[in-house]
Amino acid sequence: MSERDEETGLRVVVADDHPVYREGLALVLGSLPGVTVVGEAGDGLEAVDLAARLQPDVVLMDLSMPGLGGVEATRRIVADVPGVHVLVLSMHEGADSVVAALRAGARGYLVKGATKTEVARALHDVAAGGAVFGEGVAEQVLLRVRESPLTARRGAEAFPELTDRELEVLDLVAGGLSNAAISGRLFLSDKTVRNVVSNVIAKLGARDRPDAILRARRAGLGELR
């Protein structure tokens, strides 16, 4: 920790769109020895702004927030504010949520319902550069890691012109998911999904979405997990 951190303890920003929960969490964290809550954010944009202005050690981030969601907010903080770590605290414990947060740069993931002691330990571990997974979350990560290589290899071999994100979206499109469903599953905006799908269709030289789906399925994509 820096001299400033030694004086004030671990500096934390709490980001959650539910005021009562956020304020209660801030009070609990603020009562812990060596922890100072320096800011509260009600949405992703505010979390990014506070991270840049206050330079906390850790942003405790919810995922489901209006406007800019927690995954994209995490991505922006990690990219634009070096040294600020993100610990996710979310009600979502499925593999998609966990993987999306980790890909965005989160250093840890806890499910709401974690004890005060677990949250405090995770904050300190993440601030020190560690990686933290709450009960049940690690199993989701391992499950996805075991499932992903075959699909990724198939996609990369069949469509080397596509980026990892484009392959991921194409796999879901081939599985029959709508743009809205993909948006919710990957925690991306509807506009981002539309743009990715359009890019995929153009890169594949496909006539339209059904044609892209047909090509993807022939390559073994679309087996939803």
Side-chain angles (χ1 to χ4, degrees), residues 199-213:
N199 289 341
V200 168
I201 292 173
K203 285 186 177 182
L204 296 185
R207 294 188 301 275
D208 49 26
R209 188 184 184 106
D211 187 28
I213 290 174

Side-chain angles (χ1 to χ4, degrees), residues 160-208:
E161 67 272 42
L162 300 184
T163 66
D164 289 344
R165 172 65 80 190
E166 289 167 346
L167 284 171
E168 184 176 35
V169 170
L170 177 59
D171 184 38
L172 297 178
V173 168
L177 270 65
S178 66
N179 285 0
I182 295 171
S183 174
R185 183 157 179 167
L186 299 182
F187 292 90
L188 298 172
S189 69
D190 290 338
K191 180 180 179 181
T192 296
V193 173
R194 287 197 304 271
N195 289 340
V196 173
V197 171
S198 295
N199 289 341
V200 168
I201 292 173
K203 285 186 177 182
L204 296 185
R207 294 188 301 275
D208 49 26

Side-chain angles (χ1 to χ4, degrees), residues 78-175:
V78 171
D80 299 339
V81 196
V84 176
H85 301 295
V86 177
L87 171 64
V88 171
L89 180 63
S90 173
M91 63 180 289
H92 303 289
E93 56 183 323
D96 294 319
S97 301
V98 177
V99 171
L102 297 181
R103 283 178 173 169
R107 297 290 307 178
Y109 197 111
L110 299 179
V111 176
K112 288 181 176 178
T115 67
K116 177 173 68 173
T117 300
E118 289 171 337
V119 175
R121 184 185 305 117
L123 286 170
H124 284 282
D125 287 347
V126 166
V132 178
F133 301 105
E135 184 177 354
V137 173
E139 183 62 30
Q140 294 294 333
V141 174
L142 289 174
L143 179 64
R144 179 51 58 87
V145 167
R146 293 189 188 108
E147 292 175 338
S148 297
L150 179 57
T151 297
R153 187 168 65 251
R154 286 173 176 170
E157 291 174 351
F159 311 112
E161 67 272 42
L162 300 184
T163 66
D164 289 344
R165 172 65 80 190
E166 289 167 346
L167 284 171
E168 184 176 35
V169 170
L170 177 59
D171 184 38
L172 297 178
V173 168

